[in-house]
Amino acid sequence: MPNASVLEKKQQQVAELSEKLSAAITGVVVDYKGINVADDTALRKELREAGVDYFVVKNTLLSRAIDGTDLADMKTVLEGTTAIALSNEDYTAAARILCKFAESHDNFKVKSGFLDGKVVDVATIDSLAKLPSKEVLLATVCNAFQAPIAALARAVQAIVDKNGSTEE
């Protein structure tokens, strides 16, 4: 039986983890075994630059943090080595970075994840990873709106050029 201070510390860790999970819009749980320090450092840097919080977590602490929530279905994957990536702003960043990393590292596996507080399967995470970033999507939408306007401007300019050259 752990002493009171250890128990209190673990309860605090569970509370902090629960708070992080509830604040995140998306999360990806991975099995990180078999990656070396250099790869792990590069992965953490890329995730940090994308605004993703990535950390190793004990299965028992994560299990207690998701007890009684909609994320409780993730308990089935909580074995072995576990790390979690949480994003509070970008739906695709964690999935995109971790799935790309998993493709080039055999032992690194995506276990599960969640989206807006609901557990999703690995296939959904893979689909999410294939979506472009928010910035790329916004640029695509802007281009779609801009294309008809540009075509109209070219047509008006052609009319002006045609009328201008016949008047001379």
Side-chain angles (χ1 to χ4, degrees):
M1 178 86 182
N3 65 29
S5 65
V6 171
L7 189 58
E8 184 178 319
K9 183 178 177 184
K10 287 186 179 187
Q11 287 172 340
Q12 182 182 359
Q13 288 173 335
V14 168
E16 288 172 5
L17 184 55
S18 294
E19 188 177 307
K20 285 182 179 183
L21 289 168
S22 63
I25 58 173
T26 186
V28 179
V29 178
V30 298
D31 180 352
Y32 66 90
K33 75 174 173 241
I35 63 170
N36 61 38
V37 173
D39 288 343
D40 186 53
T41 302
L43 175 64
R44 287 174 184 269
K45 180 179 186 280
E46 187 176 358
L47 288 164
R48 189 173 40 255
E49 288 172 353
V52 176
D53 188 18
Y54 175 79
F55 51 94
V56 172
V57 63
K58 289 186 174 185
N59 291 323
T60 53
L61 293 179
L62 183 55
S63 178
R64 291 185 193 263
I66 61 177
D67 257 345
T69 69
D70 290 338
L71 303 179
D73 290 343
M74 283 195 312
K75 284 185 176 186
T76 59
V77 300
L78 298 182
E79 51 189 43
T81 57
T82 302
I84 188 165
L86 302 174
S87 179
N88 296 346
E89 297 173 5
D90 189 346
Y91 282 95
T92 63
R96 186 177 58 252
I97 294 167
L98 292 172
C99 287
K100 181 180 83 175
F101 189 83
E103 287 174 3
S104 60
H105 295 81
D106 293 336
N107 292 333
F108 190 90
K109 303 269 187 268
V110 174
K111 293 182 180 184
S112 184
F114 66 91
L115 188 62
D116 286 330
K118 304 291 181 206
V119 176
V120 294
D121 60 358
V122 176
T124 304
I125 294 169
D126 285 336
S127 298
L128 191 62
K130 292 177 181 147
L131 289 175
S133 68
K134 181 180 178 182
E135 292 79 19
V136 172
L137 287 173
L138 288 174
T140 304
V141 169
C142 288
N143 285 339
F145 285 133
Q146 188 179 15
I149 296 169
L152 176 64
R154 284 192 296 272
V156 169
Q157 186 63 47
I159 292 169
V160 169
D161 289 346
K162 182 179 176 188
N163 290 338
S165 63
T166 57
E167 291 178 24
E168 292 178 13

